[in-house]
Amino acid sequence: MRLAVPLLLAALLLSACAAPKPASGRVPSPSSGQAGAPPDGGAASADARPPDAGALEDSDGGADARPPLAGASDGGADAGPGLPGLEDPLAQGIPGPGDLKRLDFRGGEPRIPIRLMEGRREVTFSSRGRMRLRFGGPDDKVLDAAAGTRWSVRVTQGEPAVLTARVQLGEFRIADREGLNAAQEQWRARGIAVRAHVLGAVYGIAGKVIDNRRYLLLVDEALPPDAASRKQASLLREYGVRTTLFEEVRTPASAILELRDESGVVVGLAQDRLDAETPDGAGFDVRQVEYGVGYDFHGFEDRTFRGALQLVVDRAGKLAVVNVVPLEDLLKGLVPSEIFARAHPEALKAQAVTARGELLAKVGIKHLADPYLLCSEQHCAVYRGRTGEVASTTAAVEATRGEGLFSQDGRLVDSVYSAVCGGHTEDNDVVWGGPPDPSLRGRPDVLPSAGRYPLPAHLEEWLAATDLPAACRLSSFAQPSKFRWEKRFTAEQVNALTRHLGIGRVQALAFSERGVSGRARVLTLSGDQGATQIRGELNIRRLFGMLNSSMAVVEAERDVEGQITGWLFRGGGWGHGVGMCQTGAIGRAEAGQRYQDILRHYFNGAEVAPIY
């Protein structure tokens, strides 16, 4: 009886206030270039830092930060009664939770569903233009509302999704079949049944190829999430291997969503999802958007967004707010968080092109068990919508609209970047393993006509050079403490950080298997109870609380009796060092290079070309 009352209320309210479904209209042809709501203006910055403070983001590519492509369809319909002559983007097929596997470029620019926040019981928003709300269901009820009216959505009767998970043992580039086979044999020899899974997709667009496929190596057994976490812990104890979880939805989450007006009166109910759109593209204000979850800058902020909103049930049976936004508008709210917005315009253009490629590489790989493609946090891409836009970076996005970076064989380059390369970039295979990528070869980041200078092959001399003519040192945005740095740990700190390795008190640390920039991919640790190795540039950095870089040397500090009291790391650079050096790109722009030249340098001759 308790359920019957809200359902009866829903029927009465919707029949009283909701307009009928608009008549289907003309669908734009693939050549029309129309996709999503028409863009409007804007201005902004980043969650992780104050507006226009500028920050260079390390795009940790490769195995741990890279995802494939996902969906938005085009199409069209005439607006319903009350909105004459305006196109209704909601009727164009805004992607739903089940449409997240492929990007659709047929209308030109794709639209991306990006999560603004989740885990909420109630959310308040208002439209900047006349709004249309669609309740879904068999009758697809629609409610039209005036601009500026405030609405809230509250979740009731929420039921979480039922998930299973497989332990993910590794990730391999699609060309690295040899590495995948070797890993399969290694785990099978340990008595663990494994399976290979292909994630991602291949797209052909205007004669170019976008391919973000990769192999995942998974434990064959699908487990409840808690059991899968215990399996991870046992693999770490037995083999010293850090793993992730690959999640699958068995039963989707569900809930009733109550739509309330400004006075708190329930005016409609929806099952699982509400879609909101301003057909004139004016966008929305969303109150108290949560950001920085898990970080010391965690907080809440009122924000403004272009595009459409989806209010949808998240995996916990609570409320998620998803912004469905054209890719170029997404970049306008994202690029200011990736680079100093006051940097040289050519550097901003280079960042816009690389960020566009980064997004295309991530879409459809992350958040596979969630009702969106990307999140607006550091995990995917820091995004604040129109609130985060800045005129200079918006101009860079518009100047490079639809452009990507392509290798000589016509494939989209994996356009990763890091904040400060320290004077030399690194090979992708050194940092992430797998086969060498011809576009991601490490090279000196020195400006032309620089004369003689030391090389990373002589790392002590390289790190001691104070006048190295590197673009990331000469940039007006250079920070000496990130170009060259020192970090000390007490012996007790290192012993605590390495306790889980079971080697006792650390007696020796040694880097090895260095790449062309001097970055190490192996750290050997010896203790009074044994020895072990940490493999992988990112794993080494994480062991020490995100060491700035593995372009480093380490030495023990001892007391007068020869006892180890601490460890001193001396290094260069900030980030993995693969692809574009962001501070170096600014230095090159200030030296007169165009963004095409900057990208050609960092990505081994790759050329900028249109994707759409």
Side-chain angles (χ1 to χ4, degrees):
M1 184 65 185
R2 186 176 301 172
L3 179 61
V5 173
L7 291 179
L8 176 60
L9 176 61
L12 291 172
L13 289 170
L14 288 176
S15 63
C17 69
K21 179 179 178 180
S24 180
R26 179 178 57 85
V27 177
S29 69
S31 62
S32 68
Q34 301 298 317
D40 51 350
S45 200
D47 279 339
R49 48 207 65 82
D52 203 31
L56 302 183
E57 282 293 317
D58 191 9
S59 74
D60 281 319
D64 27 23
R66 197 116 291 81
L69 308 153
S73 58
D74 59 358
D78 296 330
L83 296 172
L86 291 176
E87 187 179 20
D88 180 6
L90 278 175
Q92 294 183 354
I94 284 179
D99 304 322
L100 302 182
K101 303 304 178 188
R102 297 184 64 84
L103 281 177
D104 188 347
F105 289 88
R106 288 175 299 174
E109 177 185 358
R111 286 173 293 165
I112 312 294
I114 182 167
R115 186 207 76 204
L116 306 181
M117 55 180 168
E118 64 185 353
R120 308 302 300 275
R121 295 194 179 277
E122 185 171 355
V123 169
T124 301
F125 66 97
S126 58
S127 61
R128 295 202 148 206
R130 193 163 179 83
M131 181 183 71
R132 169 158 291 163
L133 262 169
R134 181 158 280 125
F135 291 80
D139 297 325
D140 199 10
K141 299 294 186 181
V142 171
L143 181 147
D144 293 333
T149 52
R150 185 184 303 180
W151 303 87
S152 63
V153 175
R154 184 178 298 175
V155 65
T156 64
Q157 304 176 36
E159 294 290 338
V162 176
L163 303 176
T164 58
R166 287 184 168 89
V167 178
Q168 180 178 320
L169 301 168
E171 182 174 319
F172 302 85
R173 293 173 183 268
I174 200 68
D176 191 19
R177 189 60 189 256
E178 182 179 345
L180 173 68
N181 290 339
Q184 285 178 310
E185 291 306 314
Q186 180 186 40
W187 284 105
R188 286 168 180 159
R190 292 169 171 171
I192 295 176
V194 295
R195 64 163 59 184
H197 177 79
V198 177
L199 190 63
V202 183
Y203 300 82
I205 302 167
K208 304 294 184 181
V209 177
I210 296 178
D211 183 355
N212 64 356
R213 294 171 301 159
R214 73 282 319 277
Y215 291 113
L216 305 184
L217 183 61
L218 308 174
V219 173
D220 194 41
E221 185 180 15
L223 299 167
D226 288 349
S229 295
R230 291 193 294 272
K231 181 73 170 180
Q232 283 185 288
S234 69
L235 291 172
L236 179 62
R237 285 193 304 271
E238 189 167 356
Y239 301 110
V241 175
R242 294 188 180 275
T243 58
T244 57
L245 293 181
F246 181 82
E247 297 177 316
E248 298 169 291
V249 177
R250 294 304 182 197
T251 305
S254 65
I256 300 295
L257 305 182
E258 296 180 348
L259 177 69
R260 297 172 179 257
D261 64 16
E262 293 183 357
S263 61
V265 174
V266 177
V267 297
L269 301 178
Q271 179 71 50
D272 300 337
R273 173 180 161 193
L274 275 167
D275 289 316
E277 178 65 77
T278 54
D280 61 356
F284 293 88
D285 296 323
V286 182
R287 303 298 178 91
Q288 294 297 285
V289 177
E290 187 175 16
Y291 64 88
V293 178
Y295 292 87
D296 57 6
F297 53 84
H298 174 253
F300 296 84
E301 181 182 42
D302 293 348
R303 292 180 175 176
T304 300
F305 297 94
R306 303 172 186 267
L309 292 181
Q310 287 182 345
L311 299 116
V312 63
V313 180
D314 65 20
R315 63 166 65 194
K318 295 182 180 178
L319 189 60
V321 183
V322 178
N323 185 200
V324 182
V325 62
L327 177 55
E328 298 300 311
D329 287 346
L330 174 57
L331 288 168
K332 291 173 185 176
L334 180 155
V335 172
S337 70
E338 304 285 350
I339 193 169
F340 298 103
R342 295 175 288 110
H344 193 286
E346 293 300 304
L348 299 183
K349 292 175 189 176
Q351 182 67 69
V353 173
T354 57
R356 190 176 289 109
E358 268 275 284
L359 280 176
L360 291 174
K362 288 178 178 177
V363 167
I365 294 180
K366 294 190 174 185
H367 296 293
L368 296 181
D370 293 309
Y372 44 83
L373 293 179
L374 301 172
C375 65
S376 58
E377 300 282 342
Q378 279 74 5
H379 178 255
C380 292
V382 176
Y383 167 69
R384 297 176 65 216
R386 291 179 63 178
T387 304
E389 294 176 11
V390 176
S392 58
T393 48
T394 293
V397 171
E398 291 175 345
T400 63
R401 176 180 173 81
E403 290 183 348
L405 195 61
F406 291 87
S407 61
Q408 294 180 357
D409 63 357
R411 291 182 173 269
L412 184 72
V413 170
D414 193 4
S415 52
V416 295
Y417 46 87
S418 64
V420 182
C421 70
H424 205 295
T425 62
E426 187 52 87
D427 295 341
N428 69 290
D429 43 308
V430 170
V431 173
W432 299 307
D437 186 330
S439 299
L440 299 177
R441 300 292 83 199
R443 59 192 309 176
D445 189 28
V446 295
L447 292 172
S449 305
R452 295 178 60 84
Y453 51 86
L455 293 173
H458 306 285
L459 194 57
E460 295 272 4
E461 183 183 359
W462 168 260
L463 293 174
T466 58
D467 58 349
L468 192 69
C472 58
R473 185 183 74 84
L474 298 175
S475 161
S476 63
F477 285 82
Q479 299 180 51
S481 62
K482 292 180 178 177
F483 181 73
R484 293 290 181 266
W485 50 267
E486 292 186 351
K487 189 167 185 177
R488 280 185 166 83
F489 295 89
T490 66
E492 291 76 14
Q493 286 174 320
V494 169
N495 292 337
L497 290 168
T498 59
R499 184 172 293 123
H500 66 283
L501 300 175
I503 61 172
R505 291 175 296 180
V506 176
Q507 304 297 308
L509 296 174
F511 290 113
S512 61
E513 295 190 23
R514 295 186 184 272
V516 293
S517 75
R519 286 171 171 80
R521 56 180 163 186
V522 175
L523 173 66
T524 301
L525 306 94
S526 299
D528 56 11
Q529 296 178 21
T532 191
Q533 288 186 331
I534 300 296
R535 303 190 69 87
E537 188 266 358
L538 186 59
N539 292 329
I540 293 170
R541 291 166 60 198
R542 282 176 171 166
L543 181 64
F544 296 100
M546 278 319 280
L547 205 62
N548 289 352
S549 131
S550 70
M551 181 200 286
V553 295
V554 60
E555 59 189 55
E557 297 183 317
R558 301 177 183 272
D559 60 19
V560 294
E561 298 178 351
Q563 298 297 311
I564 295 175
T565 59
W567 299 92
L568 173 63
F569 289 82
R570 291 184 293 109
W574 193 43
H576 53 68
V578 181
M580 187 178 78
C581 174
Q582 293 173 288
T583 306
I586 298 172
R588 289 180 176 278
E590 292 171 343
Q593 294 185 17
R594 301 178 309 148
Y595 76 97
Q596 297 95 333
D597 300 322
I598 294 169
L599 295 172
R600 194 177 294 120
H601 169 80
Y602 287 117
F603 296 99
N604 198 26
E607 296 291 342
V608 174
I611 301 172
Y612 50 84

